[in-house]
Amino acid sequence: MSKRIAVILAGNGVYDGSEIYESVITLLTLDQKDAQVQCFAPDIPQMHVVNHLTGEVAEGESRQVLVEAARLARGEIKDIKEARVEDFDALIIPGGFGVAKNLSDFAVKGAEMSVEPSVLSLVQGFKAADKPVGLICIAPTLAVAIFGEGVKCTIGQDPDTAAAIKTMGGDHVTSEVDEIIVDEANKLVTTSAYMMAGRIREAASGITKLVDQILTMA
């Protein structure tokens, strides 16, 4: 039987949502492995909207995370509150600043961060059910809040983000762009992707390995 994978998206676009290349590589690799995929996102307002042409915040503009994430999922997406752990074998969260702005407040609070309640509840449900979780790019900043102190993960080599993970109690492992870090005890797989990648094929190298490992563990 094909594996059933839940994918959590954080909007649409690297600066205020899910990183598009990372999301597409994840979904493509899952499809190539004949996995059944369902995308989810919280039905909440984005922290803010960023003009991706200028990189500036679009003042006075607001967007919903679920509505924007639907662009990435071609409309095949559900409110995260509809997700049930028992329906899936594993879960993956691609990166993008939306993870640090919409799925959590890491972008504002750093090591004092908290995870959006519906996201935290679902991912902790996978942990409790002993089902594997994959966190890509900046998403490993959620790891300590989900799995507790001592969890092993990577965001690559960014010193400030790595320091924040360590401050929260995580065991950050320095890694190369094409590497994955596996915490066997927590069934957590992480990779740096665009925290380090300079081109799409570099991001794909780690993400493909992460997906393969998640499917093996599922």
Side-chain angles (χ1 to χ4, degrees), residues 45-56:
Q46 292 184 184
M47 173 183 162
H48 57 206
V49 178
V50 175
N51 181 325
H52 279 60
L53 185 61
T54 65
E56 298 176 353

Side-chain angles (χ1 to χ4, degrees), residues 186-203:
N186 287 300
K187 288 195 173 180
L188 172 66
V189 187
T190 55
T191 193
S192 63
Y194 271 103
M195 289 296 290
M196 289 188 65
R199 54 200 305 175
I200 190 170
R201 72 186 185 195
E202 292 177 349

Side-chain angles (χ1 to χ4, degrees), residues 38-118:
Q38 177 61 59
C39 293
F40 296 95
D43 190 10
I44 57 174
Q46 292 184 184
M47 173 183 162
H48 57 206
V49 178
V50 175
N51 181 325
H52 279 60
L53 185 61
T54 65
E56 298 176 353
V57 175
E59 299 294 345
E61 187 173 347
S62 63
R63 299 186 185 184
Q64 291 291 113
V65 173
L66 178 60
V67 173
E68 292 305 299
R71 294 174 179 270
L72 266 177
R74 295 175 61 87
E76 294 296 324
I77 193 167
K78 296 180 179 180
D79 187 332
I80 198 168
K81 292 179 180 178
E82 297 182 41
R84 302 194 313 162
V85 174
E86 56 266 35
D87 291 339
F88 299 96
D89 300 302
L91 178 146
I92 298 176
I93 305 180
F97 284 110
V99 174
K101 295 178 177 180
N102 304 326
L103 303 189
S104 73
D105 54 12
F106 180 79
V108 176
K109 296 185 177 180
E112 301 299 318
M113 63 160 285
S114 60
V115 181
E116 197 281 327
S118 64

